[in-house]
């Protein structure tokens, strides 16, 4: 497999072996196609930084060619739940502006984040710390995770106006846009 990311850019994926992650994603896409699971949309994304910026063209070209990929996108660089950021890897995007009011987060009704170890998160803003794990695909099915108690409780917390008191969601200041 031609590597769509240079070895120098692997610095941005600390703790994760790029080749293993790519192999696993390609395997997943192969199984998705073989089983004809056409309603499942697979999004491939990465955060553009000063370190990996030069590799983004190859990254996009590689993943756009893969059968079963719905969208390939770059994610905005944010400061991960309001932590201090010194600017050393790139410019922060506009989502870093803080607000006092917090709407229920639309990501709780969106895609699941499946990590290399099978753990499932619901918040892409929590990818660094992984404090908001709602399931484990090594012990549960996707359906069990997506209809499970952990996600139900989190949704209820947001819908009942208690988001600010949640230990993870209360530190996030992203106000999602809701459209019908």
């Amino acid at each position: 497999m031609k590597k769509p990311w240079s070895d120098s850019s692997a610095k941005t994926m600390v703790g994760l072996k790029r080749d293993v992650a790519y192999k696993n994603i390609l395997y997943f896409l192969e199984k998705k196609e073989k089983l004809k699971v056409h309603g499942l949309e697979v999004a491939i994304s990465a955060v553009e930084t000063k370190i990996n910026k030069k590799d983004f063209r190859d990254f996009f070209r590689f993943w756009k060619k893969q059968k079963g990929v719905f969208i390939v996108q770059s994610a905005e660089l944010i400061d991960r739940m309001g932590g201090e950021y010194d600017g050393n890897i790139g410019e922060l995007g506009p989502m870093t502006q803080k607000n006092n009011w917090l709407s229920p987060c639309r990501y709780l009704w969106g895609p699941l984040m499946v990590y290399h170890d099978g753990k499932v998160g619901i918040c892409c803003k929590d990818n660094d710390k992984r404090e908001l794990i709602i399931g484990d695909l090594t012990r549960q099915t996707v359906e069990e995770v997506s209809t499970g108690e952990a996600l139900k409780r989190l949704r209820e917390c947001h819908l009942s106006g208690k988001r600010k008191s949640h230990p993870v969601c209360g530190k996030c200041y992203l106000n999602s846009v809701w459209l019908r």
Side-chain angles (χ1 to χ4, degrees):
M1 159 176 56
K2 180 185 181 297
K3 296 177 182 178
W5 217 277
S6 74
D7 289 333
S8 64
S9 293
K11 290 187 242 179
T12 63
M13 299 175 73
V14 176
L16 180 66
K17 292 184 171 122
R18 179 200 58 236
D19 293 341
V20 173
Y22 278 39
K23 182 180 173 185
N24 288 341
I25 294 167
L26 291 169
Y27 175 78
F28 178 81
L29 292 170
E30 179 184 311
K31 289 296 182 188
K32 175 184 173 280
E33 290 301 309
K34 185 176 182 179
L35 295 172
K36 298 180 181 174
V37 184
H38 300 296
L40 178 64
E41 296 177 346
V42 176
I44 305 291
S45 66
V47 177
E48 184 177 330
T49 67
K50 290 176 185 176
I51 297 168
N52 65 13
K53 186 174 186 163
K54 67 184 183 312
D55 301 316
F56 254 62
R57 183 174 300 201
D58 290 337
F59 171 81
F60 277 92
R61 279 189 193 137
F62 178 83
W63 287 111
K64 282 184 177 184
K65 289 181 194 175
Q66 304 309 313
K67 191 172 186 169
V69 173
F70 173 70
I71 188 170
V72 181
Q73 60 194 2
S74 65
E76 183 177 286
L77 180 60
I78 62 168
D79 69 350
R80 303 292 180 187
M81 302 293 192
E84 292 299 318
Y85 178 69
D86 62 10
N88 65 350
I89 61 171
E91 297 297 318
L92 293 177
M95 289 189 337
T96 60
Q97 298 171 355
K98 295 182 180 183
N99 293 315
N100 291 325
W101 178 77
L102 294 174
S103 65
C105 182
R106 71 179 173 92
Y107 293 113
L108 301 183
W109 288 267
L112 301 174
M113 311 296 154
V114 181
Y115 300 107
H116 70 282
D117 60 358
K119 298 283 193 285
V120 180
I122 194 65
C123 177
C124 62
K125 310 305 178 242
D126 183 46
N127 286 340
D128 291 343
K129 293 183 179 179
R130 294 177 57 186
E131 296 175 316
L132 201 53
I133 300 300
I134 61 164
D136 185 345
L137 293 184
T138 64
R139 295 180 290 149
Q140 299 170 279
T141 65
V142 172
E143 183 177 5
E144 289 170 336
V145 173
S146 64
T147 60
E149 285 302 312
L151 185 53
K152 285 180 186 176
R153 283 192 307 273
L154 190 56
R155 286 175 174 166
E156 178 55 33
C157 173
H158 280 239
L159 290 173
S160 66
K162 298 177 183 170
R163 176 177 166 185
K164 278 195 172 212
S165 64
H166 189 275
V168 176
C169 301
K171 293 184 256 177
C172 175
Y173 45 82
L174 175 62
N175 274 306
S176 306
V177 176
W178 286 80
L179 300 173
R180 282 187 170 229

